[in-house]
Amino acid sequence: MTVQTRKFARAEKLQDVLMLSSFGFWALLLGLGPILIYHSLIS
């Protein structure tokens, strides 16, 4: 039973990392997107 618990803990940790990286990606995209568009329109 401890082996399954360890597997589930590892899966939960991986899921948390993927969720945080997904939020980070979207925050970066939404933050940099308008800036890059603005710079491309100005130049």
Side-chain angles (χ1 to χ4, degrees), residues 10-24:
R10 184 181 292 172
E12 281 185 356
K13 189 178 288 189
L14 180 64
Q15 188 177 11
D16 290 344
V17 168
L18 288 174
M19 188 168 57
L20 283 175
S21 64
S22 174
F23 279 125

Side-chain angles (χ1 to χ4, degrees), residues 6-43:
R6 248 185 250 152
K7 283 183 182 178
F8 288 136
R10 184 181 292 172
E12 281 185 356
K13 189 178 288 189
L14 180 64
Q15 188 177 11
D16 290 344
V17 168
L18 288 174
M19 188 168 57
L20 283 175
S21 64
S22 174
F23 279 125
F25 170 74
W26 282 110
L28 185 70
L29 187 67
L30 291 174
L32 283 180
I35 295 170
L36 293 175
I37 291 171
Y38 176 75
H39 279 293
S40 67
L41 289 175
I42 294 299
S43 57

